[in-house]
Amino acid sequence: MFIAIYAVLFSLLTEAVLGVTLEQKDLSMTKEEGKSVYISCKVTGLATTYVHWYQQKDGEALTRILYVSSGSKPVHDTTHPVAKDFDVRLQADKFDLKIANLKKSHSAVYYCASWESDRTGYSYKVFGSGTRLFVTDPVKERVKEPQVYVYPVSTPEKGEKSFLLCHARGMFPDLVRFTWQAKDQGGKNVDLRGDERLEQRDEVPEVRITSMLIVGKDKAKNNNFICTVKHDSSVKDKELPIPREEDTSKSNAGVLNTCPTQKAEEAEEVEEEIMNFGVFEHSRSLYLFSVTYVLLLVKNVLYFCTVFVLLFKRNPAKI
């Protein structure tokens, strides 16, 4: 099990990609052996003329496959063992990677990338979010859509935060991407970039992934929230509105799911898991914040003490 605090990571990544952006719309793609596939990459704000494609297999380092410029043929990397299996389809701002005659060995994560420079002239490479390709046996392995649940965690009486959760389970491939939307009572979009988001992945007895959005109780009260779950490219995104507490109190389960035949006891199990997740994660978040705050205070005290000592040694008479 691992927990990622996306708000911090997102803010750091945003600073790094203010210039060029590389959008890989598909989180994962599942294709049968012998078929062909195009892995998309939309590039905006290109600082150089070249876009690179990388492959990463499980447990291995990134390896470059090729690089390409608009209006020219791709240049394959001679260090990649099967670089000739790959090609690029160029269409305006799209640099899509093409793989014909898929093999099991093509299963990997693929990243597009390009160079960017900051104000000082320092150059660094910016990567897309990555697309995981699963090459499957046409008989044994098939895509299985996730079962998605949404649940609004009750706000404590004296709390200033409200917790909204979105839960996915029972899918193949076992990757999903959560996005959150909020609309006010007038139907206008509400910015969620400043709100904290946490994610938890459990793999026993099956893969279960939960996303939690933490918002102020006033925002939770005055807005409607939607959780969107993106799965495989062959599966339509699932959009579920987050029910209000007064709506869930009228039902027995307090959980909405996309599978009406789900057993009541399983829904209750999911509700208990989500409740435990919310309480634990919020406590952990507050603990991390407290520790960080104390460390900053100690750092400031040490800084001022050091400055005072230096000033005293420099001008002892004046002090």
Side-chain angles (χ1 to χ4, degrees):
M1 180 186 73
F2 62 89
I3 302 169
I5 303 179
Y6 278 107
V8 177
L9 295 178
F10 181 79
S11 63
L12 294 175
L13 290 174
T14 302
E15 293 178 2
V17 295
L18 289 177
V20 62
T21 60
L22 300 101
E23 178 188 355
Q24 293 184 246
K25 66 176 183 178
D26 296 312
L27 176 65
S28 68
M29 304 182 75
T30 304
K31 298 290 182 179
E32 298 177 358
E33 286 185 278
K35 302 288 186 179
S36 61
V37 68
Y38 290 92
I39 302 176
S40 68
C41 178
K42 182 178 179 180
V43 184
T44 56
L46 191 62
T48 67
T49 58
Y50 293 101
V51 171
H52 306 250
W53 273 100
Y54 287 81
Q55 179 191 65
Q56 184 174 34
K57 294 189 175 183
D58 292 341
E60 298 182 10
L62 279 172
T63 56
R64 189 173 67 170
I65 304 169
L66 53 82
Y67 62 91
V68 64
S69 177
S70 296
S72 64
K73 293 183 178 180
V75 179
H76 294 86
D77 198 313
T78 57
T79 62
H80 195 285
V82 291
K84 294 297 183 180
D85 289 354
F86 302 87
D87 200 354
V88 176
R89 180 179 63 183
L90 299 174
Q91 294 180 339
D93 57 354
K94 295 182 179 179
F95 294 74
D96 299 344
L97 183 68
K98 177 184 177 181
I99 313 174
N101 190 24
L102 285 168
K103 305 171 185 176
K104 281 289 188 71
S105 59
H106 290 140
S107 295
V109 183
Y110 293 89
Y111 298 91
C112 56
S114 186
W115 287 100
E116 176 66 296
S117 299
D118 60 19
R119 295 179 180 179
T120 64
Y122 174 76
S123 297
Y124 53 89
K125 218 165 228 182
V126 178
F127 287 80
S129 57
T131 298
R132 179 175 284 276
L133 174 65
F134 293 89
V135 182
T136 63
D137 186 297
V139 177
K140 295 181 179 179
E141 299 171 300
R142 295 185 182 277
V143 174
K144 185 178 179 181
E145 295 187 29
Q147 300 170 17
V148 180
Y149 303 81
V150 292
Y151 186 81
V153 179
S154 301
T155 305
E157 293 182 2
K158 298 182 180 180
E160 297 182 355
K161 298 290 184 179
S162 184
F163 307 90
L164 310 173
L165 288 97
C166 197
H167 178 89
R169 68 193 302 176
M171 58 277 184
F172 177 81
D174 57 3
L175 295 172
V176 292
R177 180 183 297 154
F178 297 93
T179 56
W180 290 89
Q181 291 178 294
K183 294 183 180 295
D184 61 20
Q185 296 178 354
K188 295 182 179 180
N189 290 331
V190 178
D191 186 10
L192 295 176
R193 287 180 295 179
D195 297 300
E196 187 177 5
R197 304 181 195 189
L198 304 173
E199 187 171 304
Q200 173 175 301
R201 178 186 176 96
D202 296 302
E203 300 193 4
V204 179
E206 64 175 351
V207 174
R208 298 166 295 182
I209 306 176
T210 304
S211 176
M212 178 168 68
L213 177 69
I214 304 175
V215 298
K217 59 181 180 181
D218 290 335
K219 181 181 285 189
K221 181 179 180 181
N222 298 321
N223 295 281
N224 296 313
F225 294 86
I226 298 174
C227 172
T228 301
V229 179
K230 188 174 187 63
H231 185 225
D232 195 77
S233 61
S234 62
V235 176
K236 185 178 180 181
D237 294 352
K238 295 180 181 291
E239 294 187 0
L240 278 77
I242 304 296
R244 295 189 177 278
E245 293 177 1
E246 56 267 25
D247 297 331
T248 58
S249 63
K250 298 177 183 178
S251 65
N252 293 327
V255 175
L256 301 182
N257 70 70
T258 58
C259 182
T261 60
Q262 187 74 17
K263 295 181 180 180
E265 55 268 24
E266 185 173 346
E268 292 175 359
E269 176 190 345
V270 172
E271 179 178 354
E272 182 178 356
E273 292 173 359
I274 293 177
M275 286 292 290
N276 292 335
F277 170 78
V279 173
F280 171 76
E281 284 305 320
H282 184 54
S283 299
R284 183 178 184 274
S285 178
L286 290 177
Y287 173 74
L288 291 175
F289 175 79
S290 300
V291 171
T292 303
Y293 184 71
V294 170
L295 290 176
L296 289 175
L297 285 178
V298 172
K299 181 180 177 181
N300 287 335
V301 170
L302 291 175
Y303 172 78
F304 284 114
C305 288
T306 303
V307 172
F308 179 80
V309 171
L310 292 175
L311 289 175
F312 179 79
K313 289 183 177 182
R314 185 176 180 181
N315 299 304
K318 293 182 181 180
I319 297 180

